[in-house]
Amino acid sequence: MSKLFGMEEEILKEKKSWNTAKEIIQQPELWKETLEIFKNSKMELENYLKKIGFNNEFEVIFTGAGTSEYVGNILEPLLRKNLDITFKSLATTDILSNPLNYLKKNRKTLLVSFARSGDSPESMAVVDIANENIKEVYHLFITCNKEGALAKNSKNNEKVFLLLMPERSNDKGFAMINSFSCMLLSGILVFENNSEEIIEEMEKIIILAENELNEKYLKIKELADNDNKRIVILGSGILKGLAEELSLKVMELSGGKAVSVSNTTLGFRHGPKAIINEETIVFNLVNQNEYAQKYDKDLMEEMFEDRKSDRLVAYSIMENSKIIENTHNIVFPISIGNIKNKELCSLFIYLVYGQMYAFFKSQYLGNTTDNPFPTGEVNRVVKKFRIYKFNS
């Protein structure tokens, strides 16, 4: 009988938690598959972008709902730094209700739709609205379900390029785990100029992530096995979107029994810091940019001196004496070896740390982690709702 996170398969299945545990642990395998999918699709993708005349006159809109939105929230600041193209991350839930606030009729647009199932009501509705209200719009669908509405819509459609994720990325559990990380990795590979270097770095990060999943789960379980009713996750730059995602994972897998919020390192002082009390655990996702990290360190020192929270935790990829002095716990790899891209490394290592925390918090609360809402208040795929015809 196999074990995951030190727990017997039979016990995890009895707790209806097997799928989520397996999906967190198998991610490095799926990242390898994602790299191969990109390599095999690269020439066809480049031909598609050449055919549509893709250049810096285009506006690239990343869109999705919930976790799928957060993929774009990470990609936007990541790609803006190195490229002259205009990138925007806009939730389908925002575009659908107020299309003209976001879509520009005369601006060439590449709409990049992220979706696990591709069957959420907003997914195709936003594609349709974009087609009707932008003169020149093209589509890149990055999805995990070959049978979903998005994937089916791409067939025989010259305006659409479909990038299908590994089959196992269409998570069986409630939470988007493999789907999120595979779509994020694909988004980076598609738009970064140096995809060969990204692949080389990811191959090393994959090995590191496998080690961290095996070596850090007990430490993270210890953090989760506490009665913290308020969870705060902070991150700046590309880590702002990751903080949003990790906060949502806690909220979802705890079944709403724990309140989890996210914010930026600097934004947290402006009111949201009021959430902190003796039942609060605060996680700081330490930025690997030297300048940004100064603000992380200052906020941790400030909060440590305040002594208002129950626990202050830092996720880092390297040991740091100042951070150790001003936190109750720091989680980091013993070594990152010869990984050069520390920003990319932090993104995927903090991701698995945060997913493990959400899983163990769910277990501590006695939830059925594969479906934290067995009575159906919240669903794996959003229930169908009425889509209204938009007349511009």
Side-chain angles (χ1 to χ4, degrees), residues 206-223:
I206 285 167
I207 294 169
L208 179 62
E210 289 173 334
N211 291 337
E212 292 304 287
L213 284 162
N214 287 322
E215 294 176 5
K216 292 297 188 303
Y217 75 85
L218 286 175
K219 184 168 187 174
I220 290 173
K221 182 179 185 297
E222 187 179 322
L223 294 173

Side-chain angles (χ1 to χ4, degrees), residues 35 57 60 86 153-154 157 168 185 202 323 335 384:
L35 294 180
E57 293 178 6
V60 178
T86 300
N153 181 264
S154 70
N157 190 335
R168 286 184 294 165
L185 176 55
M202 275 306 302
I323 294 173
S335 170
K384 298 293 181 186

Side-chain angles (χ1 to χ4, degrees), residues 335-353:
S335 170
I336 62 169
N338 63 343
I339 294 171
K340 299 173 185 174
N341 192 331
K342 294 177 182 176
E343 182 179 57
L344 188 68
C345 180
S346 68
L347 192 55
F348 286 90
I349 297 305
Y350 298 172
L351 173 62
V352 297
Y353 288 166

Side-chain angles (χ1 to χ4, degrees), residues 61-64 69 73 76 88-92 94-95 102-103:
I61 296 177
F62 300 119
T63 194
E69 176 198 350
N73 290 358
E76 180 187 322
K88 289 183 179 177
S89 180
L90 300 170
T92 53
D94 288 333
I95 297 172
Y102 304 103
L103 305 179

Side-chain angles (χ1 to χ4, degrees), residues 205-345:
I205 291 167
I206 285 167
I207 294 169
L208 179 62
E210 289 173 334
N211 291 337
E212 292 304 287
L213 284 162
N214 287 322
E215 294 176 5
K216 292 297 188 303
Y217 75 85
L218 286 175
K219 184 168 187 174
I220 290 173
K221 182 179 185 297
E222 187 179 322
L223 294 173
D225 286 352
N226 288 284
D227 195 26
N228 297 118
K229 293 183 172 63
R230 301 182 182 189
I231 293 95
V232 174
I233 305 178
L234 305 175
S236 66
I238 65 168
L239 300 176
K240 175 187 176 184
L242 182 60
E244 290 172 327
E245 165 59 8
L246 296 182
S247 176
L248 179 61
K249 287 287 95 54
V250 173
M251 190 83 83
E252 288 177 331
L253 296 184
S254 73
K257 296 174 186 175
V259 174
S260 181
V261 299
S262 68
N263 212 299
T264 60
T265 308
L266 292 176
F268 189 58
R269 287 190 180 97
H270 292 262
K273 194 180 174 188
I275 193 174
I276 292 182
N277 64 12
E278 67 280 356
E279 295 182 323
T280 308
I281 183 169
V282 181
F283 292 89
N284 193 294
L285 312 182
V286 178
N287 202 297
Q288 294 309 299
N289 175 280
E290 187 177 342
Y291 178 73
Q293 193 177 111
K294 291 177 181 179
Y295 293 105
D296 289 335
K297 291 176 180 176
D298 284 354
L299 181 63
M300 283 185 277
E301 183 176 10
E302 176 185 312
M303 289 194 292
F304 194 73
E305 289 176 357
D306 288 343
R307 301 196 180 278
K308 295 290 185 182
S309 65
D310 175 58
R311 195 173 295 256
L312 184 59
V313 181
Y315 289 162
S316 183
I317 58 166
M318 300 179 74
E319 189 173 10
N320 184 292
S321 58
K322 185 173 182 181
I323 294 173
I324 290 171
E325 287 171 10
N326 292 298
T327 55
H328 299 97
N329 299 89
I330 178 171
V331 185
F332 64 96
I334 294 173
S335 170
I336 62 169
N338 63 343
I339 294 171
K340 299 173 185 174
N341 192 331
K342 294 177 182 176
E343 182 179 57
L344 188 68
C345 180

Side-chain angles (χ1 to χ4, degrees), residues 86-238:
T86 300
F87 293 99
K88 289 183 179 177
S89 180
L90 300 170
T92 53
T93 48
D94 288 333
I95 297 172
L96 180 57
S97 57
N98 295 276
L100 298 186
N101 287 3
Y102 304 103
L103 305 179
K104 296 180 180 179
K105 184 175 183 179
N106 296 311
R107 183 73 184 268
K108 290 181 182 178
T109 301
L110 178 62
L111 188 68
V112 184
S113 297
F114 293 104
R116 174 170 64 177
S117 70
D119 285 327
S120 295
E122 301 96 337
S123 296
M124 276 310 305
V126 166
V127 169
D128 292 339
I129 285 175
N131 287 337
E132 292 164 7
N133 291 276
I134 304 174
K135 281 185 179 179
E136 193 171 348
V137 60
Y138 303 92
H139 300 274
L140 172 58
F141 294 163
I142 300 181
T143 183
C144 308
N145 180 14
K146 63 184 177 182
E147 301 300 330
L150 275 183
K152 288 179 178 177
N153 181 264
S154 70
K155 292 177 182 177
N156 303 315
N157 190 335
E158 292 186 354
K159 284 197 161 189
V160 178
F161 188 92
L162 173 66
L163 192 58
L164 201 59
M165 297 296 92
E167 188 172 349
R168 286 184 294 165
S169 70
N170 189 13
D171 312 281
K172 293 180 180 178
F174 177 92
M176 288 179 65
I177 301 292
N178 300 279
S179 48
F180 174 80
S181 59
C182 290
M183 291 193 295
L184 175 61
L185 176 55
S186 293
I188 295 170
L189 291 167
V190 167
F191 290 102
E192 282 282 22
N193 287 328
N194 57 340
S195 60
E196 290 82 7
E197 292 178 22
I198 297 292
I199 290 169
E200 188 177 327
E201 287 295 281
M202 275 306 302
E203 287 170 346
K204 293 181 278 189
I205 291 167
I206 285 167
I207 294 169
L208 179 62
E210 289 173 334
N211 291 337
E212 292 304 287
L213 284 162
N214 287 322
E215 294 176 5
K216 292 297 188 303
Y217 75 85
L218 286 175
K219 184 168 187 174
I220 290 173
K221 182 179 185 297
E222 187 179 322
L223 294 173
D225 286 352
N226 288 284
D227 195 26
N228 297 118
K229 293 183 172 63
R230 301 182 182 189
I231 293 95
V232 174
I233 305 178
L234 305 175
S236 66
I238 65 168

